[in-house]
Amino acid sequence: MESFTRITAIAAPLMRINIDTDQIVPGKELVRVRSEGYAASLFASWRYIGEREPNPEFILNIAPWNRAQILLADRNFGCGSSREAAPMALRAWGFRAVIAPSFGGIFYNNCFRNGLLPVELAIEDVEAIASLVMASNGSRQVSVDLDAGRVSAADRTWSFDVPATLREMLLKGLDQIDLTLSRMEQIARFRERDRQVRPWAYEVARVRA
């Protein structure tokens, strides 16, 4: 899995509430295998007019926002279905972080498994960052530091938290299996202690094997 520590990049403000996974990747776009990537499918209903003609009014079709690696959004981003293609498409486009006041629960967890960092900040803070980047027409970059738990822009800094296990997975680039294997010594010590308390459980396991 892809790791993430920190990034300083253009942040594109897409300040809409309740952007769901079907808007991030419309169902009609689910026609390719993962290895082909989903960058072309990202926000397809908004990015294109007619037969894939770029919509000149959509922010990701406008320079410099078309080079953004950080996305700013309003509340409940990624709500709706469990469609994993949504974080996959954001990452395939080039995004490394999404900053919003809240996220759909399944989408939030899927982000970490696809090398994408979801950052929760108060709506007032996200709006302040959006105002900064809009006022500079995109030249004002934003920094997101997972290691330090900080977002910074201009001379302002905001702190954020993520669950400890998900933070470790993304910092080290580990999926769930890799994370489990990295803790084999702790698992072995637990099994040894537990064997003393419940020897019968291990006898049953040995017989079945």
Side-chain angles (χ1 to χ4, degrees):
M1 194 178 81
E2 190 176 13
S3 64
F4 179 99
T5 305
R6 62 185 62 85
I7 189 173
T8 298
I10 295 169
L14 188 61
M15 300 300 292
R16 306 185 189 186
I17 193 171
N18 296 327
I19 296 177
D20 63 37
T21 52
D22 189 57
Q23 292 167 321
I24 298 171
V25 175
K28 64 182 180 180
E29 296 289 323
L30 301 177
V31 295
R32 54 178 59 81
V33 297
R34 178 170 183 157
S35 60
E36 294 177 329
Y38 279 92
S41 299
L42 181 65
F43 299 122
S45 295
W46 298 342
R47 279 173 62 198
Y48 306 119
I49 300 173
E51 296 299 321
R52 311 299 268 196
E53 178 185 349
N55 178 357
E57 297 183 359
F58 185 62
I59 192 163
L60 296 187
N61 291 332
I62 303 171
W65 316 112
N66 58 350
R67 302 192 303 277
Q69 293 179 276
I70 299 169
L71 184 67
L72 305 172
D74 209 320
R75 290 153 288 179
N76 205 25
F77 184 84
C79 58
S81 72
S82 59
R83 186 172 301 173
E84 192 174 5
M88 288 166 54
L90 287 161
R91 181 66 198 100
W93 165 274
F95 286 113
R96 294 309 318 269
V98 180
I99 303 174
S102 57
F103 295 89
I106 297 175
F107 173 86
Y108 182 87
N109 283 283
N110 281 339
C111 283
F112 290 92
R113 291 158 175 79
N114 286 277
L116 185 68
L117 174 62
V119 175
E120 290 186 336
L121 295 179
I123 181 60
E124 296 81 9
D125 297 335
V126 182
E127 289 176 340
I129 298 170
S131 294
L132 284 171
V133 299
M134 287 296 289
S136 70
N137 198 30
S139 63
R140 174 80 68 187
Q141 295 193 331
V142 176
S143 295
V144 179
D145 189 330
L146 175 59
D147 194 30
R150 288 197 304 263
V151 174
S152 55
D155 58 350
R156 301 185 62 181
T157 300
W158 301 266
S159 298
F160 66 91
D161 294 310
V162 297
T165 298
L166 295 176
R167 177 180 181 274
E168 180 183 0
M169 288 172 58
L170 193 52
L171 282 172
K172 296 180 179 179
L174 303 175
D175 61 21
Q176 297 96 317
I177 295 174
D178 292 330
L179 183 64
T180 300
L181 292 175
S182 73
R183 296 176 175 174
M184 290 305 295
E185 289 186 8
Q186 297 98 305
I187 293 171
R189 288 196 296 270
F190 167 80
R191 285 172 59 87
E192 192 57 37
R193 292 194 305 271
D194 190 53
R195 189 188 299 274
Q196 305 305 314
V197 178
R198 303 186 307 146
W200 51 267
Y202 294 85
E203 287 299 316
V204 171
R206 183 177 64 80
V207 171
R208 288 181 176 175

